[in-house]
Amino acid sequence: GFGYADIRAKRETTPETLYRIASHSKMFTAISIMQLRDGGQLRLDDPVDKYLPWFTLKGIDKQSPPVTLRQLMTHSSGIPREGGNETYWTNFKFPTTDEIIHHISKQTIVFPTEVKWKYSNLAYALLGEVVAAVSGNTFEDYVADNILKPLDMSHSGVTLSSINKDNLARGYSRRLPDGTRQELPIIDAKGMDAATGMTSSVADMARFVSWQFRLLNDNNTEVLKASTLREMQRIHWLDPKWKNGFGLTFINFKQKERVLIGHGGAYPGFLTSTFISPEEKLAVIVFSNSLDAQPNPGDPLSVTDRAFEWVGDAIAKAKEEPNPKCSKATYKNLTGTYRCIWSDWRIMELDGELVALNITHPQPKNTISALEPLDNCSTLFQVTEGDPFLTLGETVSFTIGKDGKARMMLVGSAEFLRVD
């Protein structure tokens, strides 16, 4: 922790300090929906009004498909960003669920479904109501019983009434032109809790990201099935510039060679961000209690980007386990040129590893495939890097002749004869 959780009280921040984490809430809402989906209690392509009969927005195009749970989760429904009294982000009077229900019949859809990606807090407020309707429990209790308790996130809560406010950081505005900051009140999200109401600490969110790594690494079932988490994190909607993608709540950022997956949050007095790099098993969690902080990936002075670049790279390097390479002499009997009717491939050593490249391709460098030994570095390999349309993930085996040199290479179902 850096700085103060409360400036006037001189209360310093710690990893256990609580922050209003705003749209992080959407990840917990989406996990709840997926648990119910996996349990056979709902389907993602069900229309919203199947569970919420009062969902009656104006202006829905009759030629468009009905608004579904999946569209709410992927922000592709075209519904308005907010519900109820839409000035609550400045007057802090967030609507109750009853006010959202009363107001929604007066609201008009913004875009036809599945035409544009449009972020919507209202969408996730609706999903929270679906969780309650299907589970027969309150949204708050459902998340606590099925996500927070199993992950030992004991200091986190969906609503203000479920947390220890004595440990809550005080939220502040951006620095105003006269150099001061406005101290903001504690604000209840009420009916918008499923979209933006959660409170947590860095320590608790570390448990949340550790759970993701365990699930992805072990392929077991803990809160969710590993396959379900992968489904949520993969891209379901790609932005037109092909820079960012959006899953079932999870946001994907491409940062140079690193892909970051997670979510940010903005609440009166708080800006927060939690992103993981799945391949490196690294996470950066940044919670701030001021509105001019820059915690998110892509911000000009992003704390997250700098943490991954400066600290993450160092941690990743320190964590690397020795990867003994086979001696070059072992590979010598495999290197050479192999031919089939489609192409010629060159098997060669590069930085102590065996690689293959298509030397008849217009751009041979773009075809480099890394071969990882599967049986003690002898004749059986797997392509761990390469063209996903052709060789990635396939096995490569070599047949050795009487002279001790490879005479044929089998890649998937294609035979290549050695020609040199």
Side-chain angles (χ1 to χ4, degrees):
F2 298 87
Y4 291 111
D6 188 318
I7 295 173
R8 282 193 298 170
K10 301 296 182 185
R11 176 162 56 94
E12 296 183 350
T13 61
T14 74
E16 301 292 349
T17 299
L18 294 175
Y19 295 78
R20 304 288 274 143
I21 60 171
S23 288
H24 283 70
S25 310
K26 294 177 174 68
M27 292 189 287
F28 295 86
T29 303
I31 289 169
S32 302
I33 290 288
M34 298 305 283
Q35 287 177 334
L36 296 170
R37 191 284 304 269
D38 287 353
Q41 294 175 265
L42 56 78
R43 298 186 309 161
L44 297 189
D45 293 315
D46 284 338
V48 176
D49 59 12
K50 177 179 179 178
Y51 305 101
L52 307 178
W54 45 264
F55 178 70
T56 54
L57 280 172
K58 294 179 180 179
I60 296 179
D61 185 352
K62 293 181 180 179
Q63 294 185 350
S64 297
V67 176
T68 65
L69 304 184
R70 186 188 303 276
Q71 291 163 0
L72 296 183
M73 294 178 75
T74 58
H75 297 290
S76 61
S77 65
I79 72 173
R81 179 183 171 95
E82 307 295 343
N85 172 17
E86 297 182 22
T87 62
Y88 47 79
W89 286 107
T90 51
N91 67 15
F92 310 146
K93 296 178 181 179
F94 279 71
T96 65
T97 299
D98 286 343
E99 289 170 334
I100 293 172
I101 294 173
H102 174 74
H103 191 73
I104 201 165
S105 62
K106 303 175 184 179
Q107 292 184 271
T108 302
I109 201 157
V110 180
F111 298 114
T113 54
E114 297 186 334
V115 169
K116 290 182 180 291
W117 189 88
K118 174 180 171 50
Y119 193 79
S120 175
N121 287 315
L122 175 58
Y124 275 78
L126 296 173
L127 288 168
E129 291 305 306
V130 171
V131 171
V134 172
S135 69
N137 208 342
T138 66
F139 176 73
E140 174 188 357
D141 288 344
Y142 182 91
V143 172
D145 292 342
N146 293 280
I147 304 175
L148 300 182
K149 289 178 183 177
L151 297 183
D152 194 27
M153 298 178 67
S154 56
H155 300 290
S156 302
V158 173
T159 63
L160 273 176
S161 61
S162 62
I163 63 162
N164 177 9
K165 295 186 186 67
D166 292 338
N167 199 29
L168 179 64
R170 174 70 67 180
Y172 297 90
S173 72
R174 60 190 170 85
R175 194 182 300 277
L176 299 173
D178 63 0
T180 63
R181 294 183 186 275
Q182 180 183 357
E183 186 178 291
L184 299 176
I186 297 175
I187 300 162
D188 192 339
K190 299 180 182 176
M192 301 298 291
D193 278 331
T196 191
M198 278 198 69
T199 303
S200 190
S201 66
V202 170
D204 266 9
M205 284 304 292
R207 296 180 178 95
F208 180 70
V209 297
S210 294
W211 159 72
Q212 294 178 59
F213 292 139
R214 286 197 305 274
L215 206 61
L216 297 173
N217 186 63
D218 299 335
N219 284 312
N220 60 6
T221 299
E222 180 187 358
V223 176
L224 282 180
K225 295 186 295 186
S227 59
T228 300
L229 180 61
R230 289 192 183 93
E231 179 185 358
M232 295 180 71
Q233 291 184 341
R234 69 176 170 82
I235 293 173
H236 290 251
W237 191 278
L238 192 65
D239 84 315
K241 296 181 180 179
W242 288 51
K243 289 185 177 180
N244 303 322
F246 309 96
L248 297 174
T249 298
F250 287 90
I251 300 174
N252 289 251
F253 279 101
K254 183 72 183 301
Q255 302 283 13
K256 297 181 180 178
E257 297 303 315
R258 180 179 277 124
V259 175
L260 303 182
I261 299 174
H263 215 290
Y267 202 73
F270 300 91
L271 293 176
T272 53
S273 172
T274 299
F275 280 86
I276 69 171
S277 173
E279 287 192 8
E280 299 166 292
K281 295 186 174 64
L282 292 173
V284 174
I285 304 163
V286 183
F287 291 174
S288 64
N289 57 334
S290 66
L291 292 184
D292 50 5
Q294 297 189 30
N296 289 298
D299 288 342
L301 297 176
S302 168
V303 179
T304 294
D305 287 348
R306 285 182 288 170
F308 271 113
E309 183 179 351
W310 299 348
V311 182
D313 286 350
I315 291 175
K317 186 175 181 179
K319 284 173 57 180
E320 285 180 356
E321 297 179 1
N323 183 19
K325 309 295 182 186
C326 297
S327 65
K328 293 189 175 183
T330 305
Y331 290 152
K332 201 169 185 179
N333 65 330
L334 305 179
T335 58
T337 302
Y338 297 77
R339 176 172 295 164
C340 76
I341 63 168
W342 297 100
S343 57
D344 286 2
W345 282 78
R346 184 72 183 177
I347 303 300
M348 58 185 292
E349 295 175 59
L350 184 65
D351 298 329
E353 295 181 302
L354 198 65
V355 301
L357 71 159
N358 181 352
I359 58 177
T360 50
H361 191 276
Q363 295 178 306
K365 284 201 304 184
N366 294 344
T367 70
I368 293 178
S369 301
L371 307 184
E372 184 74 23
L374 292 178
D375 64 343
N376 197 27
C377 305
S378 58
T379 60
L380 185 63
F381 299 79
Q382 184 178 35
V383 180
T384 55
E385 294 180 30
D387 188 342
F389 284 100
L390 294 175
T391 58
L392 183 61
E394 300 292 329
T395 56
V396 177
S397 61
F398 294 89
T399 301
I400 307 300
K402 293 181 179 179
D403 60 357
K405 293 184 177 182
R407 60 180 179 83
M408 186 181 72
M409 175 178 70
L410 181 66
V411 183
S413 58
E415 289 183 349
F416 292 76
L417 295 178
R418 186 168 183 160
V419 294
D420 68 355

